[in-house]
mmCIF file with all atom_site columns, all heavy atoms in Angstrom:
data_model
loop_
_atom_site.group_PDB
_atom_site.id
_atom_site.type_symbol
_atom_site.label_atom_id
_atom_site.label_alt_id
_atom_site.label_comp_id
_atom_site.label_asym_id
_atom_site.label_entity_id
_atom_site.label_seq_id
_atom_site.pdbx_PDB_ins_code
_atom_site.Cartn_x
_atom_site.Cartn_y
_atom_site.Cartn_z
_atom_site.occupancy
_atom_site.B_iso_or_equiv
_atom_site.pdbx_formal_charge
_atom_site.auth_seq_id
_atom_site.auth_comp_id
_atom_site.auth_asym_id
_atom_site.auth_atom_id
_atom_site.pdbx_PDB_model_num
ATOM 1   N N   . MET A 1 186 ? 9.129  27.952 -13.932 1.00 97.00 ? 186 MET A N   1
ATOM 2   C CA  . MET A 1 186 ? 8.010  28.455 -14.778 1.00 97.00 ? 186 MET A CA  1
ATOM 3   C C   . MET A 1 186 ? 7.076  27.345 -15.054 1.00 97.00 ? 186 MET A C   1
ATOM 4   O O   . MET A 1 186 ? 7.340  26.411 -15.789 1.00 97.00 ? 186 MET A O   1
ATOM 5   C CB  . MET A 1 186 ? 8.589  29.043 -16.065 1.00 97.00 ? 186 MET A CB  1
ATOM 6   C CG  . MET A 1 186 ? 7.557  29.622 -17.064 1.00 97.00 ? 186 MET A CG  1
ATOM 7   S SD  . MET A 1 186 ? 6.617  31.053 -16.437 1.00 97.00 ? 186 MET A SD  1
ATOM 8   C CE  . MET A 1 186 ? 7.976  32.319 -16.668 1.00 97.00 ? 186 MET A CE  1
ATOM 9   N N   . ALA A 1 192 ? 1.131  33.670 -14.199 1.00 85.00 ? 192 ALA A N   1
ATOM 10  C CA  . ALA A 1 192 ? 1.793  34.630 -15.034 1.00 85.00 ? 192 ALA A CA  1
ATOM 11  C C   . ALA A 1 192 ? 0.863  35.906 -15.408 1.00 85.00 ? 192 ALA A C   1
ATOM 12  O O   . ALA A 1 192 ? 1.450  36.877 -15.859 1.00 85.00 ? 192 ALA A O   1
ATOM 13  C CB  . ALA A 1 192 ? 2.349  34.060 -16.273 1.00 85.00 ? 192 ALA A CB  1
ATOM 14  N N   . ARG A 1 201 ? 3.602  41.590 -17.520 1.00 96.00 ? 201 ARG A N   1
ATOM 15  C CA  . ARG A 1 201 ? 2.632  40.590 -17.767 1.00 96.00 ? 201 ARG A CA  1
ATOM 16  C C   . ARG A 1 201 ? 2.827  39.917 -19.133 1.00 96.00 ? 201 ARG A C   1
ATOM 17  O O   . ARG A 1 201 ? 2.814  38.781 -19.224 1.00 96.00 ? 201 ARG A O   1
ATOM 18  C CB  . ARG A 1 201 ? 1.264  41.164 -17.637 1.00 96.00 ? 201 ARG A CB  1
ATOM 19  C CG  . ARG A 1 201 ? 0.100  40.044 -17.585 1.00 96.00 ? 201 ARG A CG  1
ATOM 20  C CD  . ARG A 1 201 ? -1.146 40.597 -17.184 1.00 96.00 ? 201 ARG A CD  1
ATOM 21  N NE  . ARG A 1 201 ? -1.719 41.524 -18.180 1.00 96.00 ? 201 ARG A NE  1
ATOM 22  C CZ  . ARG A 1 201 ? -1.945 42.805 -17.886 1.00 96.00 ? 201 ARG A CZ  1
ATOM 23  N NH1 . ARG A 1 201 ? -1.653 43.348 -16.633 1.00 96.00 ? 201 ARG A NH1 1
ATOM 24  N NH2 . ARG A 1 201 ? -2.350 43.707 -18.734 1.00 96.00 ? 201 ARG A NH2 1
ATOM 25  N N   . ALA A 1 202 ? 3.100  40.776 -20.133 1.00 96.00 ? 202 ALA A N   1
ATOM 26  C CA  . ALA A 1 202 ? 3.255  40.261 -21.506 1.00 96.00 ? 202 ALA A CA  1
ATOM 27  C C   . ALA A 1 202 ? 4.563  39.400 -21.544 1.00 96.00 ? 202 ALA A C   1
ATOM 28  O O   . ALA A 1 202 ? 4.614  38.355 -22.110 1.00 96.00 ? 202 ALA A O   1
ATOM 29  C CB  . ALA A 1 202 ? 3.432  41.429 -22.441 1.00 96.00 ? 202 ALA A CB  1
ATOM 30  N N   . GLU A 1 203 ? 5.676  39.865 -20.860 1.00 95.00 ? 203 GLU A N   1
ATOM 31  C CA  . GLU A 1 203 ? 6.867  39.108 -20.848 1.00 95.00 ? 203 GLU A CA  1
ATOM 32  C C   . GLU A 1 203 ? 6.749  37.765 -20.174 1.00 95.00 ? 203 GLU A C   1
ATOM 33  O O   . GLU A 1 203 ? 7.221  36.688 -20.665 1.00 95.00 ? 203 GLU A O   1
ATOM 34  C CB  . GLU A 1 203 ? 8.015  39.967 -20.145 1.00 95.00 ? 203 GLU A CB  1
ATOM 35  C CG  . GLU A 1 203 ? 8.570  41.082 -21.059 1.00 95.00 ? 203 GLU A CG  1
ATOM 36  C CD  . GLU A 1 203 ? 9.491  42.047 -20.323 1.00 95.00 ? 203 GLU A CD  1
ATOM 37  O OE1 . GLU A 1 203 ? 9.880  41.700 -19.094 1.00 95.00 ? 203 GLU A OE1 1
ATOM 38  O OE2 . GLU A 1 203 ? 9.876  42.970 -20.908 1.00 95.00 ? 203 GLU A OE2 1
ATOM 39  N N   . LEU A 1 204 ? 6.063  37.852 -19.045 1.00 95.00 ? 204 LEU A N   1
ATOM 40  C CA  . LEU A 1 204 ? 5.830  36.528 -18.287 1.00 95.00 ? 204 LEU A CA  1
ATOM 41  C C   . LEU A 1 204 ? 4.945  35.575 -19.071 1.00 95.00 ? 204 LEU A C   1
ATOM 42  O O   . LEU A 1 204 ? 5.322  34.356 -19.116 1.00 95.00 ? 204 LEU A O   1
ATOM 43  C CB  . LEU A 1 204 ? 5.148  36.835 -16.968 1.00 95.00 ? 204 LEU A CB  1
ATOM 44  C CG  . LEU A 1 204 ? 6.030  37.242 -15.827 1.00 95.00 ? 204 LEU A CG  1
ATOM 45  C CD1 . LEU A 1 204 ? 5.130  37.540 -14.551 1.00 95.00 ? 204 LEU A CD1 1
ATOM 46  C CD2 . LEU A 1 204 ? 6.988  36.105 -15.345 1.00 95.00 ? 204 LEU A CD2 1
ATOM 47  N N   . SER A 1 205 ? 3.938  36.001 -19.696 1.00 94.00 ? 205 SER A N   1
ATOM 48  C CA  . SER A 1 205 ? 3.056  35.165 -20.467 1.00 94.00 ? 205 SER A CA  1
ATOM 49  C C   . SER A 1 205 ? 3.808  34.538 -21.639 1.00 94.00 ? 205 SER A C   1
ATOM 50  O O   . SER A 1 205 ? 3.688  33.382 -21.951 1.00 94.00 ? 205 SER A O   1
ATOM 51  C CB  . SER A 1 205 ? 1.834  35.957 -21.007 1.00 94.00 ? 205 SER A CB  1
ATOM 52  O OG  . SER A 1 205 ? 1.186  36.473 -19.873 1.00 94.00 ? 205 SER A OG  1
ATOM 53  N N   . ALA A 1 206 ? 4.688  35.373 -22.289 1.00 95.00 ? 206 ALA A N   1
ATOM 54  C CA  . ALA A 1 206 ? 5.440  34.887 -23.410 1.00 95.00 ? 206 ALA A CA  1
ATOM 55  C C   . ALA A 1 206 ? 6.372  33.813 -22.957 1.00 95.00 ? 206 ALA A C   1
ATOM 56  O O   . ALA A 1 206 ? 6.617  32.743 -23.583 1.00 95.00 ? 206 ALA A O   1
ATOM 57  C CB  . ALA A 1 206 ? 6.126  36.006 -24.068 1.00 95.00 ? 206 ALA A CB  1
ATOM 58  N N   . ALA A 1 207 ? 7.046  34.055 -21.812 1.00 94.00 ? 207 ALA A N   1
ATOM 59  C CA  . ALA A 1 207 ? 8.021  33.093 -21.293 1.00 94.00 ? 207 ALA A CA  1
ATOM 60  C C   . ALA A 1 207 ? 7.239  31.774 -20.862 1.00 94.00 ? 207 ALA A C   1
ATOM 61  O O   . ALA A 1 207 ? 7.732  30.693 -21.208 1.00 94.00 ? 207 ALA A O   1
ATOM 62  C CB  . ALA A 1 207 ? 8.810  33.674 -20.030 1.00 94.00 ? 207 ALA A CB  1
ATOM 63  N N   . ARG A 1 208 ? 6.112  31.926 -20.345 1.00 95.00 ? 208 ARG A N   1
ATOM 64  C CA  . ARG A 1 208 ? 5.301  30.760 -19.966 1.00 95.00 ? 208 ARG A CA  1
ATOM 65  C C   . ARG A 1 208 ? 4.948  29.943 -21.264 1.00 95.00 ? 208 ARG A C   1
ATOM 66  O O   . ARG A 1 208 ? 5.098  28.798 -21.285 1.00 95.00 ? 208 ARG A O   1
ATOM 67  C CB  . ARG A 1 208 ? 4.070  31.182 -19.271 1.00 95.00 ? 208 ARG A CB  1
ATOM 68  C CG  . ARG A 1 208 ? 3.010  30.033 -18.959 1.00 95.00 ? 208 ARG A CG  1
ATOM 69  C CD  . ARG A 1 208 ? 1.809  30.472 -18.320 1.00 95.00 ? 208 ARG A CD  1
ATOM 70  N NE  . ARG A 1 208 ? 1.046  31.348 -19.268 1.00 95.00 ? 208 ARG A NE  1
ATOM 71  C CZ  . ARG A 1 208 ? 0.031  32.175 -18.884 1.00 95.00 ? 208 ARG A CZ  1
ATOM 72  N NH1 . ARG A 1 208 ? -0.396 32.094 -17.700 1.00 95.00 ? 208 ARG A NH1 1
ATOM 73  N NH2 . ARG A 1 208 ? -0.548 32.901 -19.802 1.00 95.00 ? 208 ARG A NH2 1
ATOM 74  N N   . ASP A 1 209 ? 4.467  30.702 -22.317 1.00 95.00 ? 209 ASP A N   1
ATOM 75  C CA  . ASP A 1 209 ? 4.047  30.013 -23.513 1.00 95.00 ? 209 ASP A CA  1
ATOM 76  C C   . ASP A 1 209 ? 5.236  29.268 -24.177 1.00 95.00 ? 209 ASP A C   1
ATOM 77  O O   . ASP A 1 209 ? 5.068  28.244 -24.812 1.00 95.00 ? 209 ASP A O   1
ATOM 78  C CB  . ASP A 1 209 ? 3.493  30.978 -24.545 1.00 95.00 ? 209 ASP A CB  1
ATOM 79  C CG  . ASP A 1 209 ? 2.122  31.534 -23.903 1.00 95.00 ? 209 ASP A CG  1
ATOM 80  O OD1 . ASP A 1 209 ? 1.589  30.927 -22.906 1.00 95.00 ? 209 ASP A OD1 1
ATOM 81  O OD2 . ASP A 1 209 ? 1.561  32.498 -24.535 1.00 95.00 ? 209 ASP A OD2 1
ATOM 82  N N   . ARG A 1 210 ? 6.451  29.815 -23.961 1.00 96.00 ? 210 ARG A N   1
ATOM 83  C CA  . ARG A 1 210 ? 7.679  29.255 -24.509 1.00 96.00 ? 210 ARG A CA  1
ATOM 84  C C   . ARG A 1 210 ? 8.123  28.021 -23.808 1.00 96.00 ? 210 ARG A C   1
ATOM 85  O O   . ARG A 1 210 ? 8.413  27.008 -24.427 1.00 96.00 ? 210 ARG A O   1
ATOM 86  C CB  . ARG A 1 210 ? 8.706  30.343 -24.708 1.00 96.00 ? 210 ARG A CB  1
ATOM 87  C CG  . ARG A 1 210 ? 9.732  30.150 -25.860 1.00 96.00 ? 210 ARG A CG  1
ATOM 88  C CD  . ARG A 1 210 ? 10.565 31.361 -25.967 1.00 96.00 ? 210 ARG A CD  1
ATOM 89  N NE  . ARG A 1 210 ? 11.244 31.787 -24.782 1.00 96.00 ? 210 ARG A NE  1
ATOM 90  C CZ  . ARG A 1 210 ? 11.079 32.906 -24.032 1.00 96.00 ? 210 ARG A CZ  1
ATOM 91  N NH1 . ARG A 1 210 ? 10.137 33.810 -24.541 1.00 96.00 ? 210 ARG A NH1 1
ATOM 92  N NH2 . ARG A 1 210 ? 11.665 33.270 -23.021 1.00 96.00 ? 210 ARG A NH2 1
ATOM 93  N N   . ILE A 1 211 ? 8.224  28.105 -22.476 1.00 97.00 ? 211 ILE A N   1
ATOM 94  C CA  . ILE A 1 211 ? 9.056  27.034 -21.746 1.00 97.00 ? 211 ILE A CA  1
ATOM 95  C C   . ILE A 1 211 ? 8.282  26.326 -20.623 1.00 97.00 ? 211 ILE A C   1
ATOM 96  O O   . ILE A 1 211 ? 8.778  25.417 -20.048 1.00 97.00 ? 211 ILE A O   1
ATOM 97  C CB  . ILE A 1 211 ? 10.349 27.589 -21.222 1.00 97.00 ? 211 ILE A CB  1
ATOM 98  C CG1 . ILE A 1 211 ? 10.088 28.711 -20.156 1.00 97.00 ? 211 ILE A CG1 1
ATOM 99  C CG2 . ILE A 1 211 ? 11.280 28.171 -22.306 1.00 97.00 ? 211 ILE A CG2 1
ATOM 100 C CD1 . ILE A 1 211 ? 11.246 29.013 -19.247 1.00 97.00 ? 211 ILE A CD1 1
ATOM 101 N N   . ALA A 1 212 ? 7.127  26.872 -20.327 1.00 98.00 ? 212 ALA A N   1
ATOM 102 C CA  . ALA A 1 212 ? 6.466  26.332 -19.040 1.00 98.00 ? 212 ALA A CA  1
ATOM 103 C C   . ALA A 1 212 ? 6.249  24.803 -19.068 1.00 98.00 ? 212 ALA A C   1
ATOM 104 O O   . ALA A 1 212 ? 5.914  24.320 -20.119 1.00 98.00 ? 212 ALA A O   1
ATOM 105 C CB  . ALA A 1 212 ? 5.129  27.043 -18.655 1.00 98.00 ? 212 ALA A CB  1
ATOM 106 N N   . PRO A 1 241 ? 11.492 24.005 -15.620 1.00 98.00 ? 241 PRO A N   1
ATOM 107 C CA  . PRO A 1 241 ? 11.599 23.439 -17.005 1.00 98.00 ? 241 PRO A CA  1
ATOM 108 C C   . PRO A 1 241 ? 13.105 23.279 -17.402 1.00 98.00 ? 241 PRO A C   1
ATOM 109 O O   . PRO A 1 241 ? 13.951 24.089 -16.968 1.00 98.00 ? 241 PRO A O   1
ATOM 110 C CB  . PRO A 1 241 ? 10.989 24.593 -17.791 1.00 98.00 ? 241 PRO A CB  1
ATOM 111 C CG  . PRO A 1 241 ? 10.191 25.466 -16.896 1.00 98.00 ? 241 PRO A CG  1
ATOM 112 C CD  . PRO A 1 241 ? 10.803 25.313 -15.572 1.00 98.00 ? 241 PRO A CD  1
#
Side-chain angles (χ1 to χ4, degrees):
M186 180 67 75
R201 191 168 63 246
E203 282 171 7
L204 275 177
S205 300
R208 176 185 60 192
D209 294 348
R210 210 172 48 249
I211 64 165

